[in-house]
Amino acid sequence: MKHNYYPYLASEDYLSFTFSSISQKRIVRKKAEFLLISEDVCNFAFGDLTENNEIDDRAVTDNKDTNMVLSTVIRILLEFLDTHKNKAVYFQGSTPSRTRMYQIILRKEKPNWETRLIVYGIFNGEIMPYETDFKFDAFIVKQKDA
């Protein structure tokens, strides 16, 4: 993706990332983190950072910067995959509409990722190669072998 994105900070192990969504009215802290769910797959969690330092993945920030936030999240995902080359990342929206949004982004950005990434879709628990016109429940991405 060649879009503007927010600067972000990574933890030492590149498993946790923070950045801020900025509007004229407010600044909202965001957090993205990767949690190991199997030997070679991490779950990707993302959302607003609560006062308890937890991720609220159902928050609606409404800072009118959705494209910047999503560009930042994609940059974070790519940096994670660059750092953890043998890991795959599982992600799913916290709501059906957010999963649909991820599907739209994958379709729209396919020319930018298809030479670098392998994307799988998950439908009814079955993992299959990503298809642009199929409605998936979740996704798994990993880097192609160099």
Side-chain angles (χ1 to χ4, degrees), residues 17-143:
F17 298 77
T18 56
F19 66 96
S20 294
S21 164
I22 303 168
S23 74
Q24 291 186 350
K25 294 182 182 181
R26 64 188 179 144
I27 297 173
V28 178
R29 299 286 298 150
K30 303 277 191 180
K31 185 173 185 180
E33 65 183 4
F34 299 86
L35 305 166
L36 201 61
I37 56 176
S38 74
E39 186 177 325
D40 56 355
V41 179
C42 290
N43 180 65
F44 181 58
F46 162 72
D48 288 5
L49 193 55
T50 68
E51 292 176 7
N52 298 334
N53 204 33
E54 295 177 1
I55 294 174
D56 180 355
D57 64 357
R58 294 189 177 260
V60 178
T61 306
D62 201 24
N63 260 0
K64 310 290 186 230
D65 63 346
T66 302
N67 289 340
M68 284 273 288
V69 168
L70 291 173
S71 293
T72 307
V73 168
I74 292 168
R75 286 284 229 194
I76 287 169
L77 174 65
L78 293 173
E79 184 158 350
F80 172 83
L81 290 170
D82 281 344
T83 306
H84 300 276
K85 294 192 184 302
N86 296 326
K87 300 285 187 228
V89 176
Y90 167 91
F91 63 97
Q92 175 180 26
S94 57
T95 64
S97 64
R98 289 183 181 186
T99 301
R100 223 175 8 262
M101 179 180 61
Y102 298 154
Q103 175 99 20
I104 290 166
I105 292 167
L106 283 167
R107 183 183 325 119
K108 181 179 173 187
E109 295 295 329
K110 187 175 181 185
N112 295 321
W113 60 256
E114 66 186 340
T115 59
R116 180 178 182 179
L117 302 174
I118 299 170
V119 178
Y120 300 98
I122 300 173
F123 181 72
N124 287 338
E126 188 177 328
I127 299 171
M128 58 188 75
Y130 173 78
E131 296 177 27
T132 56
D133 295 325
F134 192 90
K135 184 180 174 189
F136 292 104
D137 303 321
F139 307 92
I140 296 175
V141 299
K142 67 178 190 173
Q143 286 208 52

